[in-house]
């Protein structure tokens, strides 16, 4: 029935294929040289897989703290490559499915890729795919084993495949041996003060005087939290200010900005 | 069958929708500045989600000791917002259901919310939703994974969603990674002496002379226990006094009040 | 099928309803002031639930060493209250049932109570209801979760419910969080020498001279063991004496009494 | 289906009822004063249950090292009492059955006993009934819970029941709380030198000169091993001697007896 | 269905009955006095069971390091006894069966034996029968319990049974209590230098000069490994020599023999 | 149904039979004396099994670090032997199957082999076959037990079988006792500097001047990683160079080579 399951699997709870743009909801800004370098290298792997004769399969892991922009980067590579088959495998499209149905779903994506001459598969949030939880720890061994085998199984003759994984639990992936099955691993970091300054300049919501101290306060924060925090601060203490700020008429009040920052980092 | 299950799920053992008022059985009194501040901030999040373009999904966790008024506060925000869809997800309406039926039930609430332009979902007593027990510890990983994915899944384009969670086991939620998926966390505290005094003044069941020492005795007690204790004391040592006290004809005997306090705190 | 199960549950292996008298097989003697005090307080809770408007649900836990008379006391309160619905939930009537059938059974008792204006439910030997065993430890999490939710779920508007739990494993109930869900906890103790003397005087099976030393030997023994020991001793060393003793014609031989005591306490 | 199961249970792999004699295959010899004392006391319990009005249920545990004669003693009490219903519950008649079928089987035996005015149930080798194994440790919690409830459940009005349990793992029974549910516990010991001498004299297979040293060598050995060892030694070093020895024509060669002893105790 | 299962069980993957000869593939050589002594004693047990009236069931465990010849010895006793029913129970004939089917299979062998006046059952590699693995450790408790009960269950009146078990994990059998259920245990050892010399002399594949040093090198090796090593060495460094050596035309090159030894013992 | 399962098993997700060449995608280069020695010895075992009368079953384990060339070597022996039946058992062809279906699959391969006079079975990546993961650790005991029995079960009279296993988790195989069931174990190592130099000379992609320092940098790297690294480096910093390099027109830029090396070893 596993075999049947494979053929019957249809995307549930929203289609995951083609959702790459959804992963970059706010567009992409320049997040500094380290983000840029990793993107370049991952693009090169796509080219290697396309041209090489000896490497029909390459696998690359993007790891880093929560919200640091891993998924957005993987989606960007997927979009910028001109590969005919690019698919994202995400826990979001498999909510509530049993372990073996999830396996069937994942295998199906690989089987589909094997039919295309050039493919990219994004395994998004691998710890979520394997249902990892730190207590225990617990995770689905069935899904883990499936991933470990798929990450080493060569595509059929003449087909090429690049797999990009993302995770914020690289230590766990290491301990179950999944990290080892990737050819290369890159670390997608949080923003340093200079990265944050660059981002704030592009967003243009602080007055010139405040931008340096704001950037300093954001040191070591992941990009997604930076966006969320700025939205909170843009509302103003009593709400209703955000339109004025995004349209450039007003700037964010720096002391209210610090207040919001506390709500987020207190814990 | 999970998919079917989702469509077949009907509220069991009493409807949870619209039950928000039930969570504030005794009306709401003023519990001091800290409670007030948190309520304001949570209301602001509701506004942010309504107005913002970049944050279609915000998530907020109210944590604090047992009986401190978390559920009542979440219900209050739900009632005071003018959102068309406000639903509370509680273990009370899912007693005796299996793990995956519970998942289906929860997913269904989110799917329904995705169809409304503006929604609030209250995940009440998350440790109870995931069937947590400290020994082991044990909990349902299936439900945990479902919550973690739902708490990060964006609603469809144009829809907005605020999720408010409550818990008295924030340490546990932290250790399985659920707390991290919330954008903001607020701590709903027990009453300090001055908060308790404010509450007692509003209830008006002690004589002026006793109110200070009574408030002091209640220091660090959660609001719900304060109510329960006053009801016990209002009965008098041999019962039958409560009507006289609530109608204002008599006051609570302070030494009987201390007796009752002992029954409750002895352990 | 859980829902069906609930409607199909019928008491198995003997009806538990109305069995309250069965729990006090030997009638009730006066066991000393501490037992008396707890009984009074529990009776007051019954009155509070009946009269109060703010407390439609009160929950009280009677804990104490094995055989100390907890079940008999809970049954006594149930009998003495004039509540229309009093039911005991005991593992004895659920032998051999699966975990979820037990849940259904328990839920059914609560659902029935919700239909009566005034109810008492006795959850007897909670550690046995949740199938607790110290090694592991093991217990049924499904039943535990069900109890925890039921112990906090308010009855419908206008209905009142007092739940009395009993347990000899309060430490365990504490560690899984069930003890916390009770409003009040009382400790039902073993007999002290003076309590034992009082009991022996009522039974009148020792000669005046022996009663003091016998009472001393019984110090710290639970009431049920006291009864059992006296029955053993009443038989005499070679059997056949008990009738003479209970009819008052003879007294228990104190040295044979000590012999029997040894058989019981050696381990 | 549990209820059906109960009615369908028939003794499998040999009928256990009436098998009491089978437990005393070699007849009974006098094993010394300690064995005798325990037998007397257990007989008295049978009388107590028969005559008493307040103790319709008594429970007694015979514990001791492997092969010390516990089962034989329980069977002897069962045979010597003139109770109309005496049944032995043993793992031998439930080989290969699932846990809940075993429960049903055990419950059935109790239900049958409840229909007889006077009954004895022997729970033989309780650790085997609950499928105990020291590693883990593992055991069947379902069966344990069933036993714990049955050991405290009163028979219907007017019926009397004595339960005799046997075990060689009293530490385990203690740790899961089963030992505590027994009213009394007796320890059935191995043979001391003087007990062994008494047994050897009755068997009459050693020469007068050897009997003392042989008895000394047997110090602290359980009765069943003594029998087995004597059978081995009676064969002689090259076999074929046993008939001569049992018929009294020859005596056991003491040095060959020591050889055999070594084979048994080496480990 | 267990009862049905028992009747339906047929030997799968090759018949185990009558396979005794298969366990002694290379015939039997003289392995030294210790092996001989154990064989004698085990033969005596077979006689005891045949003649004795008090011991209708004897059980004997052959334990020792892997490959030391335990199975071969058990098979030899089975062949040399003139018992009408001799059966070997081995994991080889139960590959892939579920735990309870394996139980049914084993029970069936005992039930069959109970119908024969004189039987020998060989429980080969008990740790494999109970699916033991050191990590955890894990094993089948269902099968373990079944074995423990079968090893103590008396055959019907008039029937006699000798059970011979083999194992290389006596420590494990001890810790789960199976070793204790055996009447006697014998240790089948590896070869000492003098045993190895005896074996080499019988095989006659070394030159007179080499036989002593070869025997020394084989000290503490189990018999099966000795055979395997000699076969490797007999091939010669480049293969093709074995026929010459076994026909006696050539002798094994001692330095190549040392090479092969290293391949085997390096780990 | 296990028996049926065995007959129904067909290779899924690509045929594994005949795939031996697939395991040596890039052809074979000379990897140094140690690799060569192991290959020779394994070939000798194939000959021993073919000629010997006493060893119808030989088993050999190739263990070593990940990517060191174990599978390629096993495939080479399989190809170079002239055995009529050579089959590889790999997790790749069993993705998503349940444990017992995997067992059935593996048993089927052995059953097929038993019908051929001369067979080789390659058990590739045994830790993957038994679904091993270090956390826990977890693995399939059913599959482990099946392998342990199959590795000792003799083929039918007249049939010969060589089993070659591969693993990069020899410690784990040791701890569950699988390693012990193999007759011989060989360690397939990473490349030392001199081995790497030999490989680089054969590939001819570095200038004469760079080859020594490149080989030194590759010390202790497994062969597969060496190939992968050279492919990365051959692309050049901005891609597009690989054709020029493989055709011999250009050489790899040594500093870019060091850059790529860092990407791979940083973690
Ligand atoms: N370079 C960027 N420029 C602008 N926005 C970005 C950039 N990188 C990420 N973001 C924004 O941050 C949001 C979250 O980032 P993303 O989900 O990729 O992080 P993540 O590392 O995958 O987080 P998680 O650990 O939760 O999976 C996205 O909505 C995206 O729009
Ligand atoms: N501000 C308030 N004014 C008056 N009553 C309040 C207030 N807050 C809480 N209560 C009362 O306290 C009771 C319990 O509070 P609530 O259930 O919200 O606490 P909680 O923190 O959710 O407890 P738990 O940890 O058990 O979930 C409610 O019945 C409510 O009426
Ligand atoms: N006050 C009393 N007067 C007379 N008999 C009593 C009294 N209390 C208890 N008993 C007797 O003791 C017996 C057992 O007491 P009970 O079962 O209530 O104890 P328990 O604490 O519930 O024990 P357990 O821990 O086993 O549940 C009852 O049969 C009852 O008749
Ligand atoms: N007093 C006795 N006189 C003669 N034989 C006895 C006596 N007691 C026990 N035996 C013999 O010893 C044998 C085994 O004793 P029994 O099975 O009762 O021991 P046990 O303590 O139940 O052992 P286990 O721990 O294995 O259950 C019986 O066959 C019985 O015949
Ligand atoms: N005395 C002997 N003479 C000749 N060959 C022997 C002798 N004993 C054992 N062997 C040979 O050794 C081989 C293996 O021995 P056997 O299988 O009995 O060992 P074992 O102790 O059961 O091993 P394991 O621990 O693997 O079960 C058999 O094929 C048998 O032919
Ligand atoms: N001697 C060799 N010459 C050329 N290429 C080789 C050689 N050995 C291995 N390779 C190449 O290395 C690749 C991987 O080696 P292989 O899969 O055999 O390693 P492994 O030790 O089995 O790895 P794993 O631990 O991942 O199973 C193969 O594609 C093969 O082409
Ligand atoms: Mg992500
Ligand atoms: Mg709450
Ligand atoms: Mg009780
Ligand atoms: Mg016994
Ligand atoms: Mg063997
Ligand atoms: Mg490999």
């Amino acid at each position: 029935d596993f075999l049947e399951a494979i053929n019957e699997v249809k995307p549930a709870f929203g289609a995951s294929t083609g959702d790459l743009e959804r992963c970059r909801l706010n567009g992409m800004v320049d997040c500094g040289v380290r983000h840029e370098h990793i993107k370049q290298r991952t693009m090169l792997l796509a080219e290697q897989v396309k041209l090489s004769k000896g490497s029909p399969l390459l696998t690359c892991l993007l790891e880093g703290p929560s919200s640091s922009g891993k998924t957005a980067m993987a989606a960007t590579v997927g979009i910028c490559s001109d590969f005919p088959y690019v698919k994202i495998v995400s826990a979001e499209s498999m909510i509530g499915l049993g372990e073996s149905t999830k396996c069937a779903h994942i295998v199906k994506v690989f089987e589909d890729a094997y039919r295309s001459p050039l493919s990219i598969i994004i395994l998004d949030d691998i710890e979520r795919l394997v249902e990892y939880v730190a207590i225990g720890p617990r995770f689905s061994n069935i899904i883990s084993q499936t991933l470990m085998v798929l990450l080493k199984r060569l595509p059929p003759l003449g087909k090429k495949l690049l797999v990009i994984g993302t995770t914020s639990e690289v230590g766990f992936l290491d301990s179950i041996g999944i990290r080892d099955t990737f050819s290369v691993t890159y670390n997608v970091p949080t923003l340093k003060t200079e990265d944050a300054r660059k981002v704030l300049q592009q967003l243009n919501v602080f007055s010139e005087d405040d931008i340096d101290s704001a950037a300093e306060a954001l040191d070591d924060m992941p990009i997604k939290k930076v966006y969320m925090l700025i939205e909170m601060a843009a509302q103003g203490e009593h709400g209703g200010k955000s339109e004025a700020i995004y349209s450039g008429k007003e700037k964010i009040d720096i002391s209210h900005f610090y207040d919001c920052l506390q709500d987020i980092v207190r814990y």
Side-chain angles (χ1 to χ4, degrees), chain A residues 22-31 35 64-73 124-125 127 166-168 188 223-224 227:
Chain A
R22 207 77 225 290
C23 301
R24 317 190 303 171
L25 201 69
N26 300 314
M28 298 293 279
V29 299
D30 177 356
C31 284
H35 276 75
S66 193
S67 309
S68 67
K70 304 173 291 293
T71 303
M73 188 179 294
D124 194 32
D125 238 347
E127 70 271 22
T166 81
T167 186
S168 50
V188 181
I223 176 70
K224 191 173 167 185
Y227 267 84

Side-chain angles (χ1 to χ4, degrees), chain A residues 3 13-14 26 32 45 63 66 76 81 93 129 134 151 153 165 172 174-175 185 188 202 220 225-226 230 241:
Chain A
L3 293 176
F13 306 114
N26 300 314
L45 288 177
E63 62 88 5
S66 193
T76 300
S81 82
S93 55
L129 292 179
L151 281 165
R153 184 163 73 163
F172 163 66
D174 210 14
S175 63
T185 303
V188 181
Q202 293 167 80
D220 214 33
K225 285 236 152 167
V226 170
I230 286 172
K241 285 247 176 139

Side-chain angles (χ1 to χ4, degrees), chain A residues 7-220:
Chain A
N7 295 320
E8 280 172 15
V9 168
K10 298 172 230 103
F13 306 114
S16 67
T17 322
D19 280 316
L20 298 176
E21 273 307 343
R22 207 77 225 290
C23 301
R24 317 190 303 171
L25 201 69
N26 300 314
M28 298 293 279
V29 299
D30 177 356
C31 284
V33 292
R34 290 167 309 149
H35 276 75
E36 206 53 34
H37 175 79
I38 299 170
K39 199 166 68 191
Q40 299 293 333
R41 285 295 170 121
T42 313
M43 290 298 302
L44 264 184
L45 288 177
E47 202 193 313
Q48 177 175 351
V49 111
K50 191 155 79 186
L51 299 180
S52 150
K53 277 170 194 100
S55 317
L57 171 70
L58 280 178
T59 53
C60 166
L61 180 64
L62 302 181
E63 62 88 5
S66 193
S67 309
S68 67
K70 304 173 291 293
T71 303
M73 188 179 294
T76 300
V77 172
I79 290 169
C80 297
S81 82
D82 51 345
F83 281 28
Y85 180 97
V86 182
K87 207 159 217 155
I88 184 162
V89 175
S90 145
E92 291 194 7
S93 55
M94 302 193 286
I95 290 181
L97 302 182
E99 290 181 46
S100 57
T101 315
K102 286 185 180 180
C103 278
H105 183 92
I106 296 170
V107 169
K108 173 90 171 118
V109 170
F110 277 80
E111 297 285 331
D112 287 352
Y114 294 160
R115 289 193 206 103
S116 158
L118 280 176
S119 311
I120 289 179
I121 292 174
I122 299 173
L123 297 173
D124 194 32
D125 238 347
I126 294 179
E127 70 271 22
R128 204 54 56 236
L129 292 179
V130 302
E131 303 180 358
Y132 166 72
V133 67
I135 292 189
R138 302 195 206 164
F139 58 93
S140 161
N141 195 13
I142 299 182
I143 304 179
S144 305
Q145 298 293 333
T146 298
L147 289 180
M148 274 189 275
V149 176
L150 287 174
L151 281 165
K152 288 177 74 175
R153 184 163 73 163
L154 298 177
L157 264 179
K159 312 299 184 186
K160 310 292 188 65
L161 172 62
L162 170 65
V163 181
I164 306 176
T166 81
T167 186
S168 50
E169 297 280 356
V170 73
F172 163 66
L173 291 203
D174 210 14
S175 63
I176 63 168
I178 285 192
R179 219 215 45 168
D180 250 22
T181 60
F182 280 94
S183 323
V184 207
T185 303
Y186 292 110
N187 172 271
V188 181
T190 52
L191 304 187
K192 290 281 162 216
T193 300
E194 60 269 24
D195 306 322
R197 190 183 302 113
K198 214 179 259 182
V199 169
L200 293 186
Q201 279 160 348
Q202 293 167 80
L203 295 182
N204 189 25
V205 290
F206 283 98
S207 76
E208 277 301 310
D209 295 354
D210 293 339
I211 218 164
D212 273 13
S213 45
E216 214 148 290
L218 295 176
D219 186 38
D220 214 33

